[in-house]
Amino acid sequence: MHTALFTHSACLDHDTGEGHPECQERLRAVLRALEDEAFMFLDRREAPRVTREQLERVHPASYLDSLEAAMPQSGYATLDADTLVSPGSWEAALRSAGAVCAAIDAVLAGEARNAFCAVRPPGHHAEPDKAMGFCLFNNVAVGAAHARARGMRRVAIIDFDVHHGNGTQTYCQHDPSLLYLSTHQWPLYPGTGSAREHGDYENVVNACLGPMSGSPEFRHAVQTKLLPRLDAFRPEILLISAGFDAHSRDPMAGLHLMEDDFAWVTEKLGEMAAKHAAGRMVSVLEGGYDLRALANSAAVHVKALMAV
């Protein structure tokens, strides 16, 4: 079985306007990096649209209706101070969430060992009833709900984006079948994710990293806080919110990870997936705003997925 790559050209039609950090060129940079000969054996698949049923497991119908109605026929519409949408944004969001569900289906069917979803808009800031932080649908939460609907009893989400995934935590924190583990800079946008937030069932672990933290602090947090909790949870599938904005070059925050750190954490998560989940692991692109760092980091992440 190979690693599958799910993406769709519609994700490039989500136009956020000149100068916006969550731009179309982000995805182009990742996809160019994955055209290298090293990735010739990727199982490349077109992301389908997510279904209304899949979305409504996380997002109420009233939110979905109001979000679709907010999409402009031309130009741009502003959902919050950070989140802009254009005529192509709705289709891009449908394909982004659909990619995660389809990747889970492929992994559960044994068609792929694991998968990477190269999609945008990202998702982990989207609350069930609110778009925010560049995010419309919470792609990884929709995927977790889909995995539960497919019979997975224990679903773990690991988020190493530099920003805390507030929307994902909101979705997970009341459900003992879900585990949310996050490393992120603290304090930082969106202001959630303190180490004191544990979820109703101790099913949330926030490993906070101070500004200027680098590889030693990140790896120590993963090894001492995330991996032991993941091991105890014994997930049947692992989902990854793969944000690469903790890279030292990234302009949006102040951590100092390098490409080797993203390869290392992917390998460690792969070991946990092999131990508990028959290798089942699906990763979805979140942040990363320096194009060179993003492309290089995504490439080593996917190489590690192919190797586990």
Side-chain angles (χ1 to χ4, degrees), residues 10-52:
C11 295
L12 295 169
D13 295 332
H14 171 51
D15 181 6
T16 52
E18 185 176 356
H20 196 284
E22 205 296 282
C23 59
Q24 296 146 310
E25 192 56 36
R26 294 180 63 246
L27 183 55
R28 291 193 182 100
V30 169
L31 294 176
R32 280 196 299 268
L34 298 182
E35 290 171 359
D36 187 85
E37 185 178 355
F39 302 102
M40 65 183 298
F41 293 115
L42 277 177
D43 179 6
R44 299 171 188 268
R45 301 192 180 195
E46 183 173 89
R49 295 186 183 96
V50 69
T51 68
R52 181 77 175 211

Side-chain angles (χ1 to χ4, degrees), residues 270-303:
E271 292 170 4
M272 282 291 172
K275 181 177 180 180
H276 296 296
R280 294 185 288 257
M281 192 159 53
V282 171
S283 176
V284 55
L285 181 64
E286 298 283 2
Y289 305 99
D290 178 273
L291 296 181
R292 188 173 81 184
L294 170 62
N296 292 343
S297 299
V300 301
H301 175 61
V302 174
K303 281 182 183 177

Side-chain angles (χ1 to χ4, degrees), residues 132-153:
M132 63 179 288
F134 313 157
C135 304
L136 306 184
F137 303 144
N138 194 309
N139 303 319
V140 75
V142 171
H146 182 66
R148 289 284 293 119
R150 289 291 314 275
M152 296 292 98
R153 295 167 297 172

Side-chain angles (χ1 to χ4, degrees), residues 23-176:
C23 59
Q24 296 146 310
E25 192 56 36
R26 294 180 63 246
L27 183 55
R28 291 193 182 100
V30 169
L31 294 176
R32 280 196 299 268
L34 298 182
E35 290 171 359
D36 187 85
E37 185 178 355
F39 302 102
M40 65 183 298
F41 293 115
L42 277 177
D43 179 6
R44 299 171 188 268
R45 301 192 180 195
E46 183 173 89
R49 295 186 183 96
V50 69
T51 68
R52 181 77 175 211
E53 179 184 9
Q54 289 166 337
L55 286 175
E56 286 188 6
R57 295 180 184 132
V58 174
H59 299 288
S62 57
Y63 169 71
L64 298 175
D65 291 342
S66 63
L67 182 63
E68 185 174 15
M71 297 295 147
Q73 295 298 309
S74 61
Y76 304 97
T78 301
L79 304 182
D80 71 6
D82 303 305
T83 311
L84 278 72
V85 290
S86 62
S89 298
W90 183 252
E91 181 73 8
L94 293 175
R95 298 288 182 170
S96 294
V100 184
C101 294
I104 289 167
D105 286 340
V107 168
L108 293 182
E111 298 170 4
R113 183 173 62 252
N114 54 45
F116 179 64
C117 301
V119 294
R120 59 182 288 277
H124 73 155
H125 292 310
E127 296 279 352
D129 60 355
K130 182 170 68 173
M132 63 179 288
F134 313 157
C135 304
L136 306 184
F137 303 144
N138 194 309
N139 303 319
V140 75
V142 171
H146 182 66
R148 289 284 293 119
R150 289 291 314 275
M152 296 292 98
R153 295 167 297 172
R154 295 181 302 279
V155 179
I157 300 173
I158 301 90
D159 186 338
F160 52 73
D161 191 281
V162 78
H163 302 97
H164 180 247
N166 55 291
T168 310
Q169 179 173 301
T170 296
Y171 175 69
C172 292
Q173 63 188 349
H174 306 303
D175 187 340

Side-chain angles (χ1 to χ4, degrees), residues 160 214-216 218-219 222 244 246-248 256-269 293 295-304:
F160 52 73
S215 176
F218 172 72
R219 296 191 186 206
V222 170
F244 300 106
H247 193 284
S248 185
H256 289 282
L257 303 192
M258 302 301 290
E259 287 89 344
D260 286 350
D261 296 306
F262 298 116
W264 173 84
V265 72
T266 308
E267 292 164 5
K268 292 298 180 184
L269 295 175
N296 292 343
S297 299
V300 301
H301 175 61
V302 174
K303 281 182 183 177

